[in-house]
Amino acid sequence: MLKCRTVWRKLAPLAKSSSTLCRQNVRRAGLNNGRTPVCVPAAHMSSGPVGGGGDNLKYALLVGAVSVGGLVYAVVTMKSDQKRYEQRIEELSTRPQKTSTKPTAAQIQSEPPAVPEDQPAAAPSIEEPSSPAEVEAPKEETAPETTTPPADEPVVEGLPEAAAVPVVQEEPLVSSEPPPAVESVVLAEPAAAEPPASEPPEPQPEVLVESVADSTPVSLKLPAHAPYLLIGGGTASFAAARSIRARDPGAKVLIVTDEPDLPYMRPPLSKELWFSDDPAVTDTLRFKQWNGKERSIYFQPPSFYIRPEDLDGAENGGVAVLNNRKVVYMDVRGNKVKLDDDTEISYDKCLIATGGIPRNLQLIERAGEEVMKRTTLFRKIEDFKSLDKVSRNVKSVTIIGGGFLGSELACALGRRSTESGLEVIQMFPEKGNMGKVLPEYLSNWTTEKVKKEGVKVLTEALVKSVTCKDDQLEIKLKDGRVVTTDHIVAAVGLEPNVDLAKSAGLEVDSDFGGYRVNAELQARSNIWVAGDAACFYDIRLGRRRVEHHDHAVVSGRLAGENMTGASKPYWHQSMFWSDLGPDVGYEAIGIVDSSLPTVGVFAKATAKDTPKAATEMSGTGIRSESETEDTAVSPVASDTPSPAAENKDDFGKGVIFYLRDKVVVGIILWNVFNRMPIARKIIKDGEEHADLNEVAKLFNIHED
């Protein structure tokens, strides 16, 4: 009926206008013919050729025929629609009877055996699948217009007995049809609709629910997208996260690390933790600094971070740490990474701060599984815990390596040897401790200092083979010496972790290792690198790669700023420090290589010229954290004259300058602390100095 009305509304204006136009044309033609003389040709319409009014008559007949045709079509359509309407009303009149009998469906549903008996009757009704849908669809539309059902109601009341049989047969039809709209209209409770269809389809929904339940926790643990993705959980990553949050307080940062721990500082692992009096230090990981203050090895407590599954919904952003996961593949074009469990995470900006992997001697790797079990590669918290346990249960530990880490561990374990009777042996191919960094005279002095800590030092020792014999490790040197020990600590350097270089298409420096980055620490679009894995260009010293805490802090901080759009160059001269116990320590900056010519200026040390005193003044054991990036401006030299002759064997405190082409490129402050801005400015100026003794006065080493 509605369709007929719509058609009539469209055709009525056309028929009306056409009939009006026809009358006007006929009237104009009659008037014009009456006024026109006999000799003058009959007037015609404004359109059409000259030649009389025959065309106007044809036009009028055509319009009239169209109008009549339209009327005939309208009448026929209305009659057919009227029949359809009456049939529809009859069908609708049976619906109340069906719905009125719906409560019996509960009885049918409560009796499972009755449903299968009706299923064969449902088969022939499949031939009429469209009728229920057609009935249900217009039911809502015709409801307001069906104000005349009182005339039909007697029909409904007269058919309850006849309709009772088809109602039972059609009930499964309604419940078995796939469209949920029919069920939602007929039954308000979904539970009433489920049982009729429960027999064949019921197992399928259960399987689907289980699969969704299983997949939900996985999707909650790992966010699919991280605006800022930091690969690696070390110092550089934490510094970058803190910098990002400082510039973008609402930033969402995700740190992915293969370690089980939150970001922590590594220097105490080989320094202060070994001098702790707390027997539970391996559990608490808290230590006393040289100044007596206690702090944790972790940068922040767990409450500082948010859970990875909460990162997406965090209104104010935050920093989340995803532990025990490793990024194994980078899709640079697609801005996404793949983890070792095949999970993919997309990103907007990414930082690679994967650090390095401890090197090992190839002869130890080839020595067999038993030797590898008794070898520690010192790098992580678990390595500290393992070595601490080993040192309490064995009689002898041998450290291979004479650099920073090897010398620090030797002094730390040497202190313990006086209490537990542990034999500590240190061997290296150089002539003295830190022979690759310190000039020979200072290296020899340091070796004597390490021996006083209870360490047996073997210099110029090249390992030839390592074997396991009589439940001990036998180390043969190339000069024929043999060392028997229970455990080995290999501290022979660090290899930058560049596993992602191939998949990401990043360039690796062939000389220094690590990812080559530009002045803004950017390797590629939307990818930055910081920390030990970054090979950067120093405007003063050329291309370099630095493996120290201060560089990780500063480069991570700068990378974080540039990830938020700062576009700052990396001009900072990072420093590093090493402590051989609480009484001897040094800070260094620039290129410190013992192969370069050096000039050392020393003075007699006082009680305040120790790492312990330095931390008491600065308030922190991590001395680079107390530094600022401000360089010294116009330093004033001390007026105290330097002594004419100092004891050559007493290197209490002093300054060692490393020269290249007569220009200072590196400085070591030996037991001289909190003077790094001055050293940084000297290197930055890049000037030649005729008398470095005068330059040493800038550090006030001759003042008591």
Side-chain angles (χ1 to χ4, degrees):
M1 185 63 183
L2 295 175
K3 184 176 181 181
C4 297
R5 291 181 180 177
T6 304
V7 173
W8 173 248
R9 289 173 182 173
K10 294 181 179 180
L11 293 178
L14 178 60
K16 185 177 179 181
S17 60
S18 61
S19 61
T20 302
L21 180 60
C22 182
R23 294 193 201 100
Q24 291 177 357
N25 292 335
V26 172
R27 187 178 301 170
R28 290 175 183 173
L31 293 175
N32 292 335
N33 292 334
R35 296 175 185 175
T36 305
V38 180
C39 60
V40 179
H44 53 82
M45 297 180 64
S46 59
S47 61
V50 181
D55 294 335
N56 292 332
L57 182 59
K58 293 179 181 179
Y59 178 76
L61 293 175
L62 180 60
V63 173
V66 172
S67 301
V68 172
L71 292 174
V72 173
Y73 176 78
V75 172
V76 174
T77 304
M78 290 177 65
K79 289 182 179 181
S80 61
D81 288 346
Q82 182 66 22
K83 292 181 180 179
R84 293 179 183 176
Y85 175 74
E86 292 175 357
Q87 294 175 359
R88 188 70 56 84
I89 291 299
E90 292 179 1
E91 293 176 358
L92 291 176
S93 63
T94 61
R95 300 304 293 175
Q97 179 65 20
K98 293 179 183 180
T99 54
S100 64
T101 61
K102 207 63 180 179
T104 62
Q107 300 176 358
I108 298 174
Q109 294 166 5
S110 62
E111 299 176 3
V115 178
E117 293 177 2
D118 295 337
Q119 284 181 352
S125 63
I126 298 176
E127 299 176 358
E128 301 174 350
S130 61
S131 59
E134 292 178 357
V135 173
E136 290 297 323
K139 183 176 180 181
E140 298 179 358
E141 299 178 359
T142 58
E145 297 180 4
T146 315
T147 57
T148 61
D152 298 330
E153 284 180 1
V155 178
V156 177
E157 293 175 357
L159 293 174
E161 297 179 359
V165 177
V167 165
V168 178
Q169 294 177 352
E170 293 180 0
E171 195 67 32
L173 287 176
V174 177
S175 61
S176 62
E177 287 177 356
V182 178
E183 298 179 2
S184 63
V185 173
V186 177
L187 295 176
E189 298 180 2
E194 290 176 359
S198 62
E199 294 181 2
E202 199 167 54
Q204 297 177 357
E206 291 181 357
V207 175
L208 290 176
V209 172
E210 291 178 359
S211 63
V212 172
D214 294 339
S215 62
T216 300
V218 177
S219 61
L220 289 177
K221 291 180 181 178
L222 302 180
H225 178 77
Y228 296 96
L229 178 64
L230 312 183
I231 304 175
T235 301
S237 277
F238 178 79
R242 188 164 51 184
S243 178
I244 291 171
R245 292 280 295 170
R247 288 177 54 87
D248 184 3
K252 298 179 181 180
V253 183
L254 177 63
I255 299 176
V256 180
T257 173
D258 58 354
E259 295 190 46
D261 304 290
L262 295 174
Y264 60 91
M265 59 188 77
R266 299 189 190 275
L269 294 178
S270 59
K271 297 180 176 68
E272 294 91 343
L273 282 177
W274 290 98
F275 297 90
S276 175
D277 297 329
D278 185 6
V281 65
T282 55
D283 298 325
T284 63
L285 295 176
R286 298 187 63 86
F287 61 94
K288 286 186 178 180
Q289 303 171 138
W290 302 138
N291 58 6
K293 295 182 180 180
E294 187 178 274
R295 67 174 297 175
S296 172
I297 194 175
Y298 296 101
F299 289 110
Q300 291 291 343
S303 58
F304 173 82
Y305 306 94
I306 63 176
R307 298 185 303 174
E309 56 265 30
D310 297 335
L311 186 62
D312 287 336
E315 296 182 359
N316 299 323
V319 180
V321 180
L322 186 59
N323 296 105
N324 299 315
R325 299 294 175 89
K326 183 179 180 180
V327 176
V328 297
Y329 182 83
M330 288 192 69
D331 182 1
V332 178
R333 295 184 178 180
N335 280 5
K336 60 183 178 181
V337 300
K338 179 184 291 186
L339 306 184
D340 50 3
D341 60 352
D342 292 333
T343 302
E344 291 187 352
I345 301 177
S346 60
Y347 61 85
D348 295 332
K349 304 294 177 63
C350 179
L351 172 70
I352 300 177
T354 49
I357 303 173
R359 289 194 186 102
N360 194 3
L361 298 177
Q362 293 184 359
L363 55 90
I364 293 180
E365 294 178 347
R366 295 193 298 263
E369 183 178 356
E370 190 64 28
V371 175
M372 287 296 298
K373 286 182 179 179
R374 302 188 181 199
T375 302
T376 296
L377 303 178
F378 199 88
R379 176 68 173 173
K380 304 176 181 179
I381 290 179
E382 59 187 25
D383 299 328
F384 163 73
K385 294 181 178 180
S386 175
L387 184 59
D388 177 79
K389 182 179 179 179
V390 167
S391 64
R392 298 179 187 275
N393 297 323
V394 300
K395 297 181 179 180
S396 174
V397 174
T398 298
I399 302 171
I400 301 177
F404 307 111
L405 179 61
S407 299
E408 290 173 357
L409 290 177
C411 291
L413 293 175
R415 286 284 183 99
R416 180 170 294 183
S417 66
T418 58
E419 302 173 358
S420 61
L422 176 69
E423 181 185 20
V424 181
I425 304 171
Q426 185 185 16
M427 59 176 62
F428 43 81
E430 294 81 24
K431 295 182 179 180
N433 285 79
M434 293 177 288
K436 294 183 178 180
V437 175
L438 302 178
E440 185 176 350
Y441 62 89
L442 192 57
S443 175
N444 294 335
W445 184 89
T446 303
T447 302
E448 296 300 321
K449 188 73 176 177
V450 173
K451 289 181 180 180
K452 292 180 181 179
E453 296 290 339
V455 181
K456 181 180 179 181
V457 181
L458 301 179
T459 62
E460 299 180 287
L462 295 175
V463 180
K464 180 180 180 180
S465 66
V466 179
T467 57
C468 185
K469 184 177 181 180
D470 297 333
D471 199 29
Q472 281 189 317
L473 298 179
E474 185 178 84
I475 305 174
K476 293 184 179 180
L477 305 181
K478 290 186 176 181
D479 58 3
R481 290 178 289 180
V482 178
V483 176
T484 302
T485 186
D486 295 322
H487 196 82
I488 292 176
V489 179
V492 293
L494 193 72
E495 190 72 26
N497 187 348
V498 292
D499 292 343
L500 297 175
K502 184 176 181 180
S503 62
L506 303 180
E507 182 181 3
V508 177
D509 190 87
S510 58
D511 297 327
F512 301 97
Y515 301 98
R516 289 178 68 98
V517 296
N518 60 15
E520 298 176 4
L521 301 180
Q522 191 172 18
R524 286 191 61 173
S525 178
N526 297 328
I527 297 180
W528 287 259
V529 185
D532 300 343
C535 183
F536 62 97
Y537 182 78
D538 190 315
I539 58 175
R540 290 294 180 188
L541 307 177
R543 188 159 291 278
R544 304 175 60 201
R545 191 178 65 83
V546 181
E547 299 175 355
H548 299 292
H549 178 83
D550 183 63
H551 168 69
V553 172
V554 178
S555 63
R557 180 170 62 229
L558 180 66
E561 293 179 357
N562 289 340
M563 292 173 73
T564 58
S567 300
K568 293 182 179 180
Y570 185 69
W571 58 268
H572 179 77
Q573 284 292 339
S574 61
M575 56 87 67
F576 64 92
W577 80 99
S578 180
D579 296 332
L580 303 179
D583 299 327
V584 177
Y586 63 90
E587 298 176 354
I589 188 174
I591 300 177
V592 285
D593 188 345
S594 59
S595 63
L596 295 174
T598 61
V599 174
V601 181
F602 294 88
K604 186 176 181 179
T606 62
K608 64 180 181 180
D609 298 320
T610 62
K612 181 177 180 179
T615 54
E616 288 177 353
M617 295 178 61
S618 64
T620 175
I622 308 300
R623 294 196 289 273
S624 63
E625 291 184 352
S626 64
E627 281 197 335
T628 63
E629 294 190 12
D630 297 332
T631 54
V633 179
S634 300
V636 179
S638 172
D639 294 333
T640 304
S642 58
E646 290 283 348
N647 186 355
K648 293 183 179 180
D649 295 332
D650 184 12
F651 304 105
K653 66 177 180 179
V655 182
I656 302 98
F657 300 96
Y658 292 77
L659 306 177
R660 187 172 63 188
D661 298 331
K662 299 182 180 180
V663 176
V664 177
V665 294
I667 298 176
I668 285 183
L669 304 180
W670 188 262
N671 274 343
V672 177
F673 308 100
N674 303 320
R675 297 289 189 274
M676 194 52 62
I678 300 174
R680 184 173 286 114
K681 186 179 188 305
I682 293 174
I683 294 178
K684 182 180 179 181
D685 292 342
E687 299 176 354
E688 293 187 19
H689 299 278
D691 189 357
L692 290 176
N693 285 289
E694 295 298 323
V695 178
K697 292 182 179 180
L698 298 175
F699 299 92
N700 300 327
I701 62 173
H702 300 298
E703 291 184 354
D704 294 334

